[in-house]
Amino acid sequence: MRRRILPFSVLCFFLLLPSAFGLEVTDDTGRTVTLSCPASRVVSLTPANTEIVFALGAEGSLVGVTTYCDYPEEAKKKEKVGSITEVDLEAIVRLEPDLVLAGSLTPPEVVDRLTKLGYPVFVLDPKSISQVIEGIRKVALLLGKEKEGEALAQAMEENVQEIQARVSGLPEEEKPRVFHVIWHDPLWTAGKDTFIHEFITLAGGENVVEDLSGYVTLDLEELLRRNPDIITVVSTHGENLPYNFIVSDTRLRVLQAVRQGRVFVVDSDIVSRPGPRVTEALRIFASIIHPEIFGPYQSSKE
């Protein structure tokens, strides 16, 4: 009798493995996403999430992306399921994904609708570099890329630690005052509780609007009063209108940063996407703020 029961018990054990040892991962909204096995058909609804999938070497599982997913170059070849804020639900359903990677700008109704249709939706909404790295580890787990994810996460952590170590002993008077320009009309900038603020402070600088929170507007008179030593300006696909405004407006010629030629263009995609390139963004700010330590930063103004 025991000879008949034992094989059956063993069979039951293996049949139960997927549910007993399924993947359960909590996303940045506190929702728990459960998969019975690593995802093999993934739809990404943000450029940052697409970059994460590629960085983990899981691009073969990526079946759909947004029209803004343009890095790396191969991402442009993936099927499109709409933009970041305007998602084509029917296109997603046709792709039959076993995981959808959403972001902070993904409409909540899209997340709710996909969840009700039975598609696992994992939302990434990191607020810091450390949270980006933790999100990468979680995505790696969902994709069955734990080894690759851990290697990437550790490399990113080491980059942050190396930069921090090189500026840790700087006295306050040697920390340049930095102002970041997102747009010029009106003048948009980044206060505390933003990635830009973290880049500036970790790289050994001082954010001149650290008393403000989030992404805010500032009038020209206030910018003149704060008088930054360095100004960084985002550029998107070669469009440098904010940079041109900063360096050519006669009212701003008295600014320390303008007078000393310390106005720098930075790639919007690199410094604005909470993905694997956040440590590259940090190094860009380090080179701008402390070229004597990290070497000069070469920006493109064409």
Side-chain angles (χ1 to χ4, degrees), residues 244-274:
N244 294 333
F245 170 77
I246 295 294
V247 298
S248 63
D249 191 286
T250 56
R251 295 168 295 179
L252 302 180
R253 290 178 181 173
V254 298
L255 290 176
Q256 181 87 343
V258 176
R259 287 191 293 109
Q260 294 188 351
R262 302 190 74 186
V263 181
F264 300 89
V265 174
V266 294
D267 189 318
S268 176
D269 288 347
I270 296 177
V271 304
S272 303
R273 293 180 180 180

PDB file of all heavy atoms in Angstrom, residues 244-274:
ATOM      1  N   ASN A 244      18.754  78.550 -24.187  1.00  0.00           N
ATOM      2  CA  ASN A 244      18.897  79.790 -24.943  1.00  0.00           C
ATOM      3  C   ASN A 244      18.327  80.975 -24.171  1.00  0.00           C
ATOM      4  O   ASN A 244      18.885  82.080 -24.213  1.00  0.00           O
ATOM      5  CB  ASN A 244      18.208  79.665 -26.308  1.00  0.00           C
ATOM      6  CG  ASN A 244      18.895  78.647 -27.200  1.00  0.00           C
ATOM      7  OD1 ASN A 244      20.088  78.393 -27.060  1.00  0.00           O
ATOM      8  ND2 ASN A 244      18.139  78.045 -28.111  1.00  0.00           N
ATOM      9  N   PHE A 245      17.237  80.752 -23.476  1.00  0.00           N
ATOM     10  CA  PHE A 245      16.636  81.817 -22.676  1.00  0.00           C
ATOM     11  C   PHE A 245      17.576  82.248 -21.546  1.00  0.00           C
ATOM     12  O   PHE A 245      17.809  83.443 -21.340  1.00  0.00           O
ATOM     13  CB  PHE A 245      15.304  81.346 -22.094  1.00  0.00           C
ATOM     14  CG  PHE A 245      14.726  82.270 -21.065  1.00  0.00           C
ATOM     15  CD1 PHE A 245      14.103  83.443 -21.445  1.00  0.00           C
ATOM     16  CD2 PHE A 245      14.821  81.961 -19.712  1.00  0.00           C
ATOM     17  CE1 PHE A 245      13.569  84.306 -20.488  1.00  0.00           C
ATOM     18  CE2 PHE A 245      14.303  82.824 -18.750  1.00  0.00           C
ATOM     19  CZ  PHE A 245      13.683  84.002 -19.139  1.00  0.00           C
ATOM     20  N   ILE A 246      18.119  81.271 -20.834  1.00  0.00           N
ATOM     21  CA  ILE A 246      18.979  81.586 -19.689  1.00  0.00           C
ATOM     22  C   ILE A 246      20.216  82.378 -20.110  1.00  0.00           C
ATOM     23  O   ILE A 246      20.607  83.347 -19.459  1.00  0.00           O
ATOM     24  CB  ILE A 246      19.407  80.301 -18.947  1.00  0.00           C
ATOM     25  CG1 ILE A 246      18.181  79.614 -18.310  1.00  0.00           C
ATOM     26  CG2 ILE A 246      20.465  80.596 -17.897  1.00  0.00           C
ATOM     27  CD1 ILE A 246      17.528  80.410 -17.204  1.00  0.00           C
ATOM     28  N   VAL A 247      20.848  81.983 -21.203  1.00  0.00           N
ATOM     29  CA  VAL A 247      22.118  82.621 -21.583  1.00  0.00           C
ATOM     30  C   VAL A 247      21.933  83.893 -22.408  1.00  0.00           C
ATOM     31  O   VAL A 247      22.895  84.656 -22.584  1.00  0.00           O
ATOM     32  CB  VAL A 247      23.022  81.632 -22.356  1.00  0.00           C
ATOM     33  CG1 VAL A 247      23.380  80.445 -21.492  1.00  0.00           C
ATOM     34  CG2 VAL A 247      22.367  81.192 -23.660  1.00  0.00           C
ATOM     35  N   SER A 248      20.721  84.152 -22.917  1.00  0.00           N
ATOM     36  CA  SER A 248      20.541  85.322 -23.783  1.00  0.00           C
ATOM     37  C   SER A 248      19.655  86.412 -23.198  1.00  0.00           C
ATOM     38  O   SER A 248      19.714  87.560 -23.657  1.00  0.00           O
ATOM     39  CB  SER A 248      19.967  84.888 -25.140  1.00  0.00           C
ATOM     40  OG  SER A 248      18.677  84.312 -24.975  1.00  0.00           O
ATOM     41  N   ASP A 249      18.838  86.102 -22.213  1.00  0.00           N
ATOM     42  CA  ASP A 249      17.964  87.119 -21.631  1.00  0.00           C
ATOM     43  C   ASP A 249      18.815  88.150 -20.881  1.00  0.00           C
ATOM     44  O   ASP A 249      19.590  87.804 -19.978  1.00  0.00           O
ATOM     45  CB  ASP A 249      16.958  86.474 -20.679  1.00  0.00           C
ATOM     46  CG  ASP A 249      15.862  87.441 -20.268  1.00  0.00           C
ATOM     47  OD1 ASP A 249      16.146  88.341 -19.443  1.00  0.00           O
ATOM     48  OD2 ASP A 249      14.729  87.311 -20.766  1.00  0.00           O
ATOM     49  N   THR A 250      18.683  89.403 -21.247  1.00  0.00           N
ATOM     50  CA  THR A 250      19.526  90.453 -20.680  1.00  0.00           C
ATOM     51  C   THR A 250      19.335  90.617 -19.175  1.00  0.00           C
ATOM     52  O   THR A 250      20.265  91.026 -18.469  1.00  0.00           O
ATOM     53  CB  THR A 250      19.236  91.792 -21.373  1.00  0.00           C
ATOM     54  OG1 THR A 250      17.833  92.090 -21.261  1.00  0.00           O
ATOM     55  CG2 THR A 250      19.621  91.726 -22.845  1.00  0.00           C
ATOM     56  N   ARG A 251      18.154  90.279 -18.679  1.00  0.00           N
ATOM     57  CA  ARG A 251      17.894  90.426 -17.252  1.00  0.00           C
ATOM     58  C   ARG A 251      18.715  89.448 -16.415  1.00  0.00           C
ATOM     59  O   ARG A 251      18.950  89.670 -15.227  1.00  0.00           O
ATOM     60  CB  ARG A 251      16.399  90.224 -16.970  1.00  0.00           C
ATOM     61  CG  ARG A 251      15.496  91.275 -17.576  1.00  0.00           C
ATOM     62  CD  ARG A 251      14.038  90.854 -17.507  1.00  0.00           C
ATOM     63  NE  ARG A 251      13.779  89.673 -18.320  1.00  0.00           N
ATOM     64  CZ  ARG A 251      12.586  89.077 -18.424  1.00  0.00           C
ATOM     65  NH1 ARG A 251      11.558  89.542 -17.725  1.00  0.00           N
ATOM     66  NH2 ARG A 251      12.434  88.012 -19.199  1.00  0.00           N
ATOM     67  N   LEU A 252      19.158  88.342 -17.042  1.00  0.00           N
ATOM     68  CA  LEU A 252      19.850  87.296 -16.295  1.00  0.00           C
ATOM     69  C   LEU A 252      21.375  87.387 -16.394  1.00  0.00           C
ATOM     70  O   LEU A 252      22.083  86.557 -15.829  1.00  0.00           O
ATOM     71  CB  LEU A 252      19.387  85.913 -16.784  1.00  0.00           C
ATOM     72  CG  LEU A 252      17.882  85.641 -16.675  1.00  0.00           C
ATOM     73  CD1 LEU A 252      17.561  84.249 -17.196  1.00  0.00           C
ATOM     74  CD2 LEU A 252      17.413  85.782 -15.227  1.00  0.00           C
ATOM     75  N   ARG A 253      21.870  88.394 -17.093  1.00  0.00           N
ATOM     76  CA  ARG A 253      23.321  88.505 -17.282  1.00  0.00           C
ATOM     77  C   ARG A 253      24.077  88.763 -15.985  1.00  0.00           C
ATOM     78  O   ARG A 253      25.283  88.534 -15.911  1.00  0.00           O
ATOM     79  CB  ARG A 253      23.624  89.614 -18.290  1.00  0.00           C
ATOM     80  CG  ARG A 253      23.208  89.256 -19.713  1.00  0.00           C
ATOM     81  CD  ARG A 253      23.475  90.396 -20.675  1.00  0.00           C
ATOM     82  NE  ARG A 253      23.043  90.054 -22.027  1.00  0.00           N
ATOM     83  CZ  ARG A 253      23.034  90.916 -23.047  1.00  0.00           C
ATOM     84  NH1 ARG A 253      23.469  92.172 -22.858  1.00  0.00           N
ATOM     85  NH2 ARG A 253      22.619  90.535 -24.233  1.00  0.00           N
ATOM     86  N   VAL A 254      23.378  89.243 -14.982  1.00  0.00           N
ATOM     87  CA  VAL A 254      24.043  89.538 -13.698  1.00  0.00           C
ATOM     88  C   VAL A 254      24.211  88.294 -12.834  1.00  0.00           C
ATOM     89  O   VAL A 254      24.929  88.329 -11.824  1.00  0.00           O
ATOM     90  CB  VAL A 254      23.248  90.601 -12.905  1.00  0.00           C
ATOM     91  CG1 VAL A 254      23.203  91.903 -13.676  1.00  0.00           C
ATOM     92  CG2 VAL A 254      21.830  90.110 -12.604  1.00  0.00           C
ATOM     93  N   LEU A 255      23.568  87.195 -13.229  1.00  0.00           N
ATOM     94  CA  LEU A 255      23.681  85.965 -12.436  1.00  0.00           C
ATOM     95  C   LEU A 255      25.120  85.458 -12.445  1.00  0.00           C
ATOM     96  O   LEU A 255      25.793  85.455 -13.480  1.00  0.00           O
ATOM     97  CB  LEU A 255      22.753  84.877 -12.976  1.00  0.00           C
ATOM     98  CG  LEU A 255      21.251  85.078 -12.776  1.00  0.00           C
ATOM     99  CD1 LEU A 255      20.473  83.959 -13.462  1.00  0.00           C
ATOM    100  CD2 LEU A 255      20.900  85.136 -11.292  1.00  0.00           C
ATOM    101  N   GLN A 256      25.566  85.002 -11.305  1.00  0.00           N
ATOM    102  CA  GLN A 256      26.922  84.461 -11.166  1.00  0.00           C
ATOM    103  C   GLN A 256      27.167  83.339 -12.165  1.00  0.00           C
ATOM    104  O   GLN A 256      28.225  83.295 -12.818  1.00  0.00           O
ATOM    105  CB  GLN A 256      27.101  83.944  -9.732  1.00  0.00           C
ATOM    106  CG  GLN A 256      28.479  83.376  -9.431  1.00  0.00           C
ATOM    107  CD  GLN A 256      29.454  84.427  -8.984  1.00  0.00           C
ATOM    108  OE1 GLN A 256      29.230  85.618  -9.184  1.00  0.00           O
ATOM    109  NE2 GLN A 256      30.548  83.995  -8.391  1.00  0.00           N
ATOM    110  N   ALA A 257      26.212  82.438 -12.312  1.00  0.00           N
ATOM    111  CA  ALA A 257      26.382  81.292 -13.214  1.00  0.00           C
ATOM    112  C   ALA A 257      26.521  81.735 -14.664  1.00  0.00           C
ATOM    113  O   ALA A 257      27.335  81.185 -15.414  1.00  0.00           O
ATOM    114  CB  ALA A 257      25.186  80.343 -13.071  1.00  0.00           C
ATOM    115  N   VAL A 258      25.756  82.740 -15.070  1.00  0.00           N
ATOM    116  CA  VAL A 258      25.810  83.230 -16.448  1.00  0.00           C
ATOM    117  C   VAL A 258      27.114  83.989 -16.687  1.00  0.00           C
ATOM    118  O   VAL A 258      27.788  83.793 -17.700  1.00  0.00           O
ATOM    119  CB  VAL A 258      24.593  84.126 -16.750  1.00  0.00           C
ATOM    120  CG1 VAL A 258      24.710  84.723 -18.156  1.00  0.00           C
ATOM    121  CG2 VAL A 258      23.299  83.325 -16.621  1.00  0.00           C
ATOM    122  N   ARG A 259      27.487  84.842 -15.755  1.00  0.00           N
ATOM    123  CA  ARG A 259      28.712  85.637 -15.919  1.00  0.00           C
ATOM    124  C   ARG A 259      29.960  84.764 -16.013  1.00  0.00           C
ATOM    125  O   ARG A 259      30.897  85.076 -16.740  1.00  0.00           O
ATOM    126  CB  ARG A 259      28.858  86.619 -14.745  1.00  0.00           C
ATOM    127  CG  ARG A 259      27.880  87.790 -14.803  1.00  0.00           C
ATOM    128  CD  ARG A 259      28.208  88.884 -13.809  1.00  0.00           C
ATOM    129  NE  ARG A 259      28.031  88.451 -12.422  1.00  0.00           N
ATOM    130  CZ  ARG A 259      29.016  88.240 -11.571  1.00  0.00           C
ATOM    131  NH1 ARG A 259      30.281  88.392 -11.961  1.00  0.00           N
ATOM    132  NH2 ARG A 259      28.774  87.856 -10.327  1.00  0.00           N
ATOM    133  N   GLN A 260      29.956  83.637 -15.294  1.00  0.00           N
ATOM    134  CA  GLN A 260      31.135  82.766 -15.276  1.00  0.00           C
ATOM    135  C   GLN A 260      31.037  81.616 -16.288  1.00  0.00           C
ATOM    136  O   GLN A 260      31.900  80.751 -16.321  1.00  0.00           O
ATOM    137  CB  GLN A 260      31.334  82.209 -13.871  1.00  0.00           C
ATOM    138  CG  GLN A 260      31.686  83.267 -12.842  1.00  0.00           C
ATOM    139  CD  GLN A 260      32.072  82.685 -11.511  1.00  0.00           C
ATOM    140  OE1 GLN A 260      31.935  81.481 -11.264  1.00  0.00           O
ATOM    141  NE2 GLN A 260      32.574  83.524 -10.612  1.00  0.00           N
ATOM    142  N   GLY A 261      29.984  81.632 -17.099  1.00  0.00           N
ATOM    143  CA  GLY A 261      29.833  80.582 -18.112  1.00  0.00           C
ATOM    144  C   GLY A 261      29.579  79.208 -17.529  1.00  0.00           C
ATOM    145  O   GLY A 261      30.024  78.193 -18.083  1.00  0.00           O
ATOM    146  N   ARG A 262      28.855  79.147 -16.410  1.00  0.00           N
ATOM    147  CA  ARG A 262      28.587  77.873 -15.761  1.00  0.00           C
ATOM    148  C   ARG A 262      27.108  77.503 -15.884  1.00  0.00           C
ATOM    149  O   ARG A 262      26.412  77.234 -14.909  1.00  0.00           O
ATOM    150  CB  ARG A 262      29.031  77.915 -14.300  1.00  0.00           C
ATOM    151  CG  ARG A 262      30.503  78.249 -14.123  1.00  0.00           C
ATOM    152  CD  ARG A 262      30.971  78.051 -12.707  1.00  0.00           C
ATOM    153  NE  ARG A 262      31.110  76.633 -12.379  1.00  0.00           N
ATOM    154  CZ  ARG A 262      31.394  76.164 -11.168  1.00  0.00           C
ATOM    155  NH1 ARG A 262      31.538  77.016 -10.152  1.00  0.00           N
ATOM    156  NH2 ARG A 262      31.513  74.882 -10.946  1.00  0.00           N
ATOM    157  N   VAL A 263      26.629  77.525 -17.130  1.00  0.00           N
ATOM    158  CA  VAL A 263      25.280  77.085 -17.465  1.00  0.00           C
ATOM    159  C   VAL A 263      25.436  75.837 -18.328  1.00  0.00           C
ATOM    160  O   VAL A 263      26.077  75.890 -19.381  1.00  0.00           O
ATOM    161  CB  VAL A 263      24.494  78.174 -18.224  1.00  0.00           C
ATOM    162  CG1 VAL A 263      23.074  77.680 -18.528  1.00  0.00           C
ATOM    163  CG2 VAL A 263      24.456  79.465 -17.422  1.00  0.00           C
ATOM    164  N   PHE A 264      24.873  74.721 -17.879  1.00  0.00           N
ATOM    165  CA  PHE A 264      25.120  73.433 -18.530  1.00  0.00           C
ATOM    166  C   PHE A 264      23.824  72.767 -18.982  1.00  0.00           C
ATOM    167  O   PHE A 264      22.835  72.734 -18.237  1.00  0.00           O
ATOM    168  CB  PHE A 264      25.845  72.483 -17.566  1.00  0.00           C
ATOM    169  CG  PHE A 264      27.174  73.001 -17.091  1.00  0.00           C
ATOM    170  CD1 PHE A 264      27.261  73.787 -15.947  1.00  0.00           C
ATOM    171  CD2 PHE A 264      28.336  72.713 -17.790  1.00  0.00           C
ATOM    172  CE1 PHE A 264      28.480  74.264 -15.497  1.00  0.00           C
ATOM    173  CE2 PHE A 264      29.566  73.186 -17.349  1.00  0.00           C
ATOM    174  CZ  PHE A 264      29.637  73.963 -16.202  1.00  0.00           C
ATOM    175  N   VAL A 265      23.877  72.228 -20.182  1.00  0.00           N
ATOM    176  CA  VAL A 265      22.747  71.455 -20.713  1.00  0.00           C
ATOM    177  C   VAL A 265      22.895  70.001 -20.279  1.00  0.00           C
ATOM    178  O   VAL A 265      23.976  69.415 -20.403  1.00  0.00           O
ATOM    179  CB  VAL A 265      22.710  71.533 -22.253  1.00  0.00           C
ATOM    180  CG1 VAL A 265      21.623  70.612 -22.804  1.00  0.00           C
ATOM    181  CG2 VAL A 265      22.463  72.962 -22.702  1.00  0.00           C
ATOM    182  N   VAL A 266      21.804  69.428 -19.773  1.00  0.00           N
ATOM    183  CA  VAL A 266      21.808  68.009 -19.400  1.00  0.00           C
ATOM    184  C   VAL A 266      20.662  67.310 -20.124  1.00  0.00           C
ATOM    185  O   VAL A 266      19.609  67.900 -20.359  1.00  0.00           O
ATOM    186  CB  VAL A 266      21.674  67.814 -17.874  1.00  0.00           C
ATOM    187  CG1 VAL A 266      22.898  68.345 -17.154  1.00  0.00           C
ATOM    188  CG2 VAL A 266      20.411  68.494 -17.332  1.00  0.00           C
ATOM    189  N   ASP A 267      20.889  66.072 -20.491  1.00  0.00           N
ATOM    190  CA  ASP A 267      19.900  65.288 -21.237  1.00  0.00           C
ATOM    191  C   ASP A 267      18.691  64.986 -20.349  1.00  0.00           C
ATOM    192  O   ASP A 267      18.810  64.327 -19.319  1.00  0.00           O
ATOM    193  CB  ASP A 267      20.546  63.991 -21.715  1.00  0.00           C
ATOM    194  CG  ASP A 267      19.662  63.210 -22.684  1.00  0.00           C
ATOM    195  OD1 ASP A 267      18.444  63.116 -22.438  1.00  0.00           O
ATOM    196  OD2 ASP A 267      20.190  62.690 -23.675  1.00  0.00           O
ATOM    197  N   SER A 268      17.517  65.443 -20.770  1.00  0.00           N
ATOM    198  CA  SER A 268      16.302  65.248 -19.986  1.00  0.00           C
ATOM    199  C   SER A 268      16.010  63.775 -19.738  1.00  0.00           C
ATOM    200  O   SER A 268      15.579  63.392 -18.645  1.00  0.00           O
ATOM    201  CB  SER A 268      15.113  65.901 -20.701  1.00  0.00           C
ATOM    202  OG  SER A 268      13.911  65.657 -20.012  1.00  0.00           O
ATOM    203  N   ASP A 269      16.232  62.934 -20.752  1.00  0.00           N
ATOM    204  CA  ASP A 269      15.930  61.510 -20.601  1.00  0.00           C
ATOM    205  C   ASP A 269      16.783  60.877 -19.504  1.00  0.00           C
ATOM    206  O   ASP A 269      16.305  60.045 -18.736  1.00  0.00           O
ATOM    207  CB  ASP A 269      16.163  60.770 -21.920  1.00  0.00           C
ATOM    208  CG  ASP A 269      15.104  61.108 -22.960  1.00  0.00           C
ATOM    209  OD1 ASP A 269      14.077  61.716 -22.584  1.00  0.00           O
ATOM    210  OD2 ASP A 269      15.314  60.790 -24.142  1.00  0.00           O
ATOM    211  N   ILE A 270      18.043  61.277 -19.430  1.00  0.00           N
ATOM    212  CA  ILE A 270      18.938  60.678 -18.435  1.00  0.00           C
ATOM    213  C   ILE A 270      18.606  61.152 -17.028  1.00  0.00           C
ATOM    214  O   ILE A 270      18.536  60.361 -16.088  1.00  0.00           O
ATOM    215  CB  ILE A 270      20.411  60.988 -18.771  1.00  0.00           C
ATOM    216  CG1 ILE A 270      20.801  60.346 -20.112  1.00  0.00           C
ATOM    217  CG2 ILE A 270      21.326  60.476 -17.661  1.00  0.00           C
ATOM    218  CD1 ILE A 270      22.213  60.666 -20.559  1.00  0.00           C
ATOM    219  N   VAL A 271      18.380  62.467 -16.857  1.00  0.00           N
ATOM    220  CA  VAL A 271      18.194  62.995 -15.508  1.00  0.00           C
ATOM    221  C   VAL A 271      16.747  62.933 -15.021  1.00  0.00           C
ATOM    222  O   VAL A 271      16.487  63.216 -13.848  1.00  0.00           O
ATOM    223  CB  VAL A 271      18.703  64.449 -15.418  1.00  0.00           C
ATOM    224  CG1 VAL A 271      20.157  64.528 -15.849  1.00  0.00           C
ATOM    225  CG2 VAL A 271      17.839  65.415 -16.229  1.00  0.00           C
ATOM    226  N   SER A 272      15.813  62.564 -15.906  1.00  0.00           N
ATOM    227  CA  SER A 272      14.401  62.571 -15.510  1.00  0.00           C
ATOM    228  C   SER A 272      13.773  61.187 -15.405  1.00  0.00           C
ATOM    229  O   SER A 272      12.665  61.058 -14.879  1.00  0.00           O
ATOM    230  CB  SER A 272      13.587  63.412 -16.500  1.00  0.00           C
ATOM    231  OG  SER A 272      14.081  64.726 -16.576  1.00  0.00           O
ATOM    232  N   ARG A 273      14.439  60.160 -15.893  1.00  0.00           N
ATOM    233  CA  ARG A 273      13.852  58.819 -15.861  1.00  0.00           C
ATOM    234  C   ARG A 273      14.368  58.027 -14.659  1.00  0.00           C
ATOM    235  O   ARG A 273      15.574  57.829 -14.512  1.00  0.00           O
ATOM    236  CB  ARG A 273      14.182  58.064 -17.147  1.00  0.00           C
ATOM    237  CG  ARG A 273      13.531  58.646 -18.384  1.00  0.00           C
ATOM    238  CD  ARG A 273      13.886  57.859 -19.638  1.00  0.00           C
ATOM    239  NE  ARG A 273      13.253  58.434 -20.812  1.00  0.00           N
ATOM    240  CZ  ARG A 273      13.392  57.952 -22.052  1.00  0.00           C
ATOM    241  NH1 ARG A 273      14.173  56.885 -22.259  1.00  0.00           N
ATOM    242  NH2 ARG A 273      12.766  58.538 -23.067  1.00  0.00           N
ATOM    243  N   PRO A 274      13.459  57.565 -13.806  1.00  0.00           N
ATOM    244  CA  PRO A 274      13.871  56.789 -12.621  1.00  0.00           C
ATOM    245  C   PRO A 274      14.161  55.337 -12.962  1.00  0.00           C
ATOM    246  O   PRO A 274      13.434  54.419 -12.586  1.00  0.00           O
ATOM    247  CB  PRO A 274      12.661  56.919 -11.696  1.00  0.00           C
ATOM    248  CG  PRO A 274      11.496  57.032 -12.643  1.00  0.00           C
ATOM    249  CD  PRO A 274      12.006  57.822 -13.815  1.00  0.00           C
TER     250      PRO A 274
END
